[in-house]
Each structure stands twice: as structure tokens, then as C-alpha cells.
Amino acid sequence: MDNKKQISLNRAKELHNEIADYLEFKAQYISDVSEKRDLISLKHKTELLEYFGGTESDWNDYHWQLKNRISSVSTLTKFMKLSDSQIKMFDDVSKKYRWAVTPYYLSLMDYSDMNYPMNLLGLPTKLELNDEGELDPMAEEYTNPAPCVTRRYPNRLIINVTSSCAAFCRHCQRRRRIGECDRVESEERINEAIKYVEENIEIRDVLITGGDPLMLPDELLESIIKKIRAIQHVEIIRIGTRVPATMPQRITDNLTNMLKKYHPLFINIQFDHPGELTKEAVEACEKLANAGIPLGNQMVLLNGINNDKYIVQLLNEGLLKARVKPYYIFHPKQVQGTKHFEVKVSEGLRIMEYLRGRTSGLAIPQYICNAPEGLGKIPLLPNYIIENDDEHFRLRTWEGKEVEIIY
């Protein structure tokens, strides 16, 4: 064997060893968690259909999922055995913060472990009664020059069309807007927001969000999109939604056939844990992708959910297989009632540094911290520049090796 071949083989072995621990984790996760989860979820689904008197066809109908959302502890106890103190906790939190999950999302949970990631994402805990943080950490109330509008940047803005979601995530940055019932903004207020876009010709990018805009009926959602698309200076329209993770049944043929009429249209979704990437969720993403809609994922870094380098890698590689580009990892905002989800920036940076070189570039999102008072997104990156001047750069590679580049 010639020397070059031996060097190549030695290097290949080094590279394999770099991800050997992850490969072992992935195999164990698929065997011990993913496959087991599928069986448990199927059992839960059968129990939920029996309790609500539903059929397989009902389960696949998002109207049925919404009609039967679980939002009271009395209903939850039909499926989960809760102690008296846990029941009291649900009652106490419910007085302050609304909660609800679809039967579909409840089927993904562990009925005996309230610290299971999907439980923590969808069900309240007593830790939400901690009042540290702010209800409006992004100062959205001070960046709304027109009804329903949030504007933080020169050429793009947000239109919030509803406070409703399929499930109310426990880390939600807009929990102050949830209220006691689902609410859609009035036609008058939405039209005022669209008029503001029309009158400000620098706005080229409009994000429709909420709540979750895919909670709107197709006809109402189309009327909003159609009016925005008619504005000549608006180049792209985006939709922010979590329903592919919490109620994938919402992604119907009627919806995708409507959306694809208004390209260029992008959808940002939110999967926070690989346990949310079920067969139904992947099919929902593929349906959107087949309609020509580029998909980007906006994961929130959350303590006890995904602040683990292997979990993030597994999620992001799974997203790519579902044709979703990992777009952002958001550092958690200091929202009142979410203190228990907070992580240190150093944790996020370590995850980002781990990902580089150990997975494809497509699976590496931007790590983002939102500046307080609505001052916008700040990208956070590990430091790969050791020293530099006008002509020389001393850099650190993903493996920690130092190199010098001369320009």
C-alpha cells in the first residue's frame, strides 16, 4: 500500500471516530426511544379515539382534532394518573396561563413521566408560577406602528392575525396574547395592517404569524395572502406556524393547493425535539415541500428539552430528510413563566461548535439571540479567529487545529 493511501485511510478512521459516539447514540435512540414511542403513541391514539368516540377518519381531520383539544385537568386525568398536588397545580396554572393540546400531540406524550420532552413542551408545570421575566420581552407593544403589525427592521415586518394555536407551547413568547379563548383579528384591523404595508414601499417581506395563522380557515387565510401579494413592492410572503408538529392533519391538499398560487411564499415551522418528527409530521412537511414551498425550522433552545448536542443533531438531520432546512436556533427569551427553560449562551455555543464539521452544513442553523426591547436578532457564533491583521489570519478549524491564511 502506498503512503498516500495509508494517510487517507488513517484520516478516514479519525473522521469516523469523531462521530462514533453520535452514531451509537442515534442507534440507541431509534431502538429504545423512537420505535418504542411509535408503539406507545399508537396505543394512546386508540384510547383517545375510544374516549372521544372517533374513527381513523376523524383522527386525520384537523377539525376533529381542534374540537377535541384537551384543555382541562379533568379530561387529562382520563388518560394520565395525576396526584392531588398535580391536579391542584394544573388548576393554579390554568388561572394564570391557558393550556391546550390536540389529541394527536397528547398521543406523543409519556403518561407516566411529566419530565418527558413532549410533556414539558405541551403541559404546564408549577415552575410556570415563577414570575421572573417579562410578559413582553421583545417590546412588541412598542414596535407596532399599525394594528397587528410588529416592525423591527427597515424592509420587513410581521402581521399578527390571530392569538389561536393548535397547542399552546409552554415556552411561548406571546403567552400574554393567548387570552381565555381563540381570537382572530378583525377584518378591519387586518386591512389596516395591509394598508400600512401598501403605504410603505420599502417593505419587501411580510411575515404572517400569530398565534398560528394556519388556524384560520383556508378562505380567510387566502384573502389575507391575496391582498398582500397584490402589493407591488412586496417580494416575498412568509408564514410562521407550528401545526406540522402539533396538528399535522391541518396540512391538507386544499391548503397546499391554495398556498402554491402565491409564490414566492416561504413557511417557517418549529420542531423542538426529534420526538415530534413523527410519520404524520414528516408527511405534512413533504406535502408543503411538494407544493414548492421552501421550509425552514426555528428551534428554540430549551433546558430539559433539546440542550444536548446529539438531540440537536438528530433533530436537524431528521428535518433535512423531511426537506426542512434548519434555519434558526433561538436562544430562549426571558418570558414570564418560562424561567425553567432558560439555558446559558455558552451551552448554545458549545452545541454550534460541535455541529460544525460533524454534520452537513445544511443541518447547521444560525444561533440567534433576540436583543431586548425589540432591537432585533443577534447571531451568535463560536470564535474561530485566533488573531489577524490586514494580511494574515490565524484560524481554528472545527477540530481545533490552528492554520494560517495569508491574503
Side-chain angles (χ1 to χ4, degrees):
M1 183 184 302
D2 64 43
N3 189 47
K4 291 180 181 178
K5 180 70 171 178
Q6 187 60 54
I7 291 173
S8 298
L9 289 172
N10 290 342
R11 178 59 175 159
K13 186 175 181 180
E14 286 179 6
L15 294 173
H16 171 81
N17 290 338
E18 279 287 343
I19 61 167
D21 288 349
Y22 169 68
L23 294 176
E24 184 178 344
F25 169 86
K26 181 178 179 180
Q28 186 171 350
Y29 182 93
I30 292 172
S31 172
D32 296 350
V33 180
S34 182
E35 293 176 357
K36 179 181 176 183
R37 180 205 68 197
D38 290 343
L39 291 174
I40 292 173
S41 295
L42 184 60
K43 177 176 180 291
H44 291 170
K45 174 182 172 181
T46 301
E47 293 169 353
L48 285 157
L49 283 173
E50 182 178 348
Y51 176 79
F52 289 113
T55 63
E56 183 71 22
S57 178
D58 290 328
W59 185 265
N60 295 323
D61 182 350
Y62 79 93
H63 297 96
W64 184 91
Q65 291 282 338
L66 285 174
K67 178 184 175 183
N68 292 293
R69 276 190 306 189
I70 295 90
S71 58
S72 71
V73 70
S74 60
T75 304
L76 190 64
T77 54
K78 306 297 183 186
F79 310 101
M80 292 184 176
K81 187 175 181 180
L82 301 177
S83 66
D84 290 343
S85 62
Q86 286 177 312
I87 292 172
K88 183 179 184 304
M89 177 275 294
F90 270 88
D91 289 336
D92 290 343
V93 175
S94 297
K95 293 172 186 174
K96 192 168 187 179
Y97 302 118
R98 187 181 179 198
W99 68 274
V101 292
T102 57
Y104 164 81
Y105 202 77
L106 185 66
S107 76
L108 307 185
M109 295 184 183
D110 189 321
Y111 288 2
S112 61
D113 181 6
M114 295 302 277
N115 290 316
Y116 187 64
M118 263 53 72
N119 296 50
L120 292 175
L121 284 165
L123 299 178
T125 73
K126 65 181 181 182
L127 298 173
E128 291 186 36
L129 298 175
N130 182 336
D131 284 338
E132 291 182 71
E134 302 176 58
L135 280 178
D136 184 18
M138 302 292 290
E140 290 183 322
E141 304 298 334
Y142 299 93
T143 52
N144 58 341
C148 311
V149 167
T150 300
R151 183 175 182 181
R152 302 192 191 105
Y153 298 102
N155 61 0
R156 56 198 185 277
L157 55 73
I158 291 170
I159 298 180
N160 295 289
V161 296
T162 181
S163 66
S164 179
C165 290
F168 297 110
C169 302
R170 308 323 300 164
H171 58 284
C172 180
Q173 71 169 18
R174 296 193 180 113
R175 53 171 48 203
R176 71 188 190 280
R177 287 173 45 87
I178 292 173
E180 295 300 319
C181 60
D182 296 339
R183 178 174 57 83
V184 176
E185 294 288 352
S186 68
E187 183 179 7
E188 180 183 3
R189 285 173 58 82
I190 292 174
N191 284 340
E192 284 187 59
I194 295 171
K195 186 172 186 292
Y196 178 84
V197 174
E198 197 170 19
E199 292 174 346
N200 289 269
I201 62 171
E202 70 276 18
I203 304 300
R204 55 169 291 277
D205 176 352
V206 174
L207 170 61
I208 304 171
T209 185
D212 197 314
L214 294 193
M215 293 290 283
L216 272 55
D218 291 353
E219 297 77 13
L220 177 54
L221 180 61
E222 180 170 19
S223 72
I224 295 169
I225 295 173
K226 188 174 184 179
K227 289 173 185 176
I228 296 171
R229 175 52 65 221
I231 301 172
Q232 189 172 4
H233 55 265
V234 173
E235 297 172 7
I236 64 171
I237 297 172
R238 290 183 289 158
I239 292 173
T241 180
R242 187 152 152 74
V243 296
T246 58
M247 189 177 64
Q249 296 85 354
R250 174 65 182 100
I251 310 304
T252 63
D253 290 339
N254 285 341
L255 176 67
T256 54
N257 288 334
M258 179 274 285
L259 292 174
K260 70 183 182 182
K261 294 189 293 185
Y262 298 100
H263 285 310
L265 184 143
F266 298 74
I267 290 183
N268 292 333
I269 58 184
Q270 183 188 155
F271 287 88
D272 289 319
H273 190 275
E276 295 178 326
L277 277 175
T278 64
K279 179 176 179 287
E280 295 96 330
V282 169
E283 287 175 353
C285 293
E286 290 175 340
K287 190 174 290 187
L288 290 167
N290 287 340
I293 301 170
L295 304 174
N297 192 63
Q298 301 186 149
M299 186 197 98
V300 183
L301 187 63
L302 299 167
N303 181 46
I305 306 293
N306 53 28
N307 56 328
D308 177 280
K309 60 186 181 181
Y310 294 155
I311 287 291
V312 175
Q313 182 174 357
L314 192 63
L315 171 63
N316 289 353
E317 291 176 353
L319 286 165
L320 283 184
K321 288 195 295 182
R323 295 152 70 185
V324 181
K325 170 72 177 75
Y327 177 38
Y328 283 150
I329 291 179
F330 278 119
H331 193 76
K333 303 174 183 71
Q334 294 180 331
V335 183
Q336 193 175 105
T338 68
K339 179 72 175 176
H340 53 294
F341 286 126
E342 288 185 11
V343 297
K344 294 184 182 299
V345 169
S346 57
E347 288 186 74
L349 289 174
R350 281 195 293 270
I351 289 171
M352 293 301 297
E353 188 159 4
Y354 164 78
L355 291 175
R356 180 64 60 188
R358 294 172 181 84
T359 189
S360 58
L362 284 171
I364 302 177
Q366 294 184 68
Y367 180 33
I368 294 293
C369 177
N370 278 279
E373 300 181 5
L375 294 178
K377 299 179 181 69
I378 303 170
L380 303 175
L381 293 167
N383 187 13
Y384 294 100
I385 301 174
I386 299 170
E387 59 182 24
N388 68 284
D389 56 31
D390 287 344
E391 295 183 356
H392 299 79
F393 275 83
R394 182 167 291 278
L395 307 174
R396 179 174 59 86
T397 71
W398 64 275
E399 293 175 283
K401 299 175 181 178
E402 292 187 14
V403 298
E404 186 170 346
I405 298 176
I406 300 174
Y407 289 104

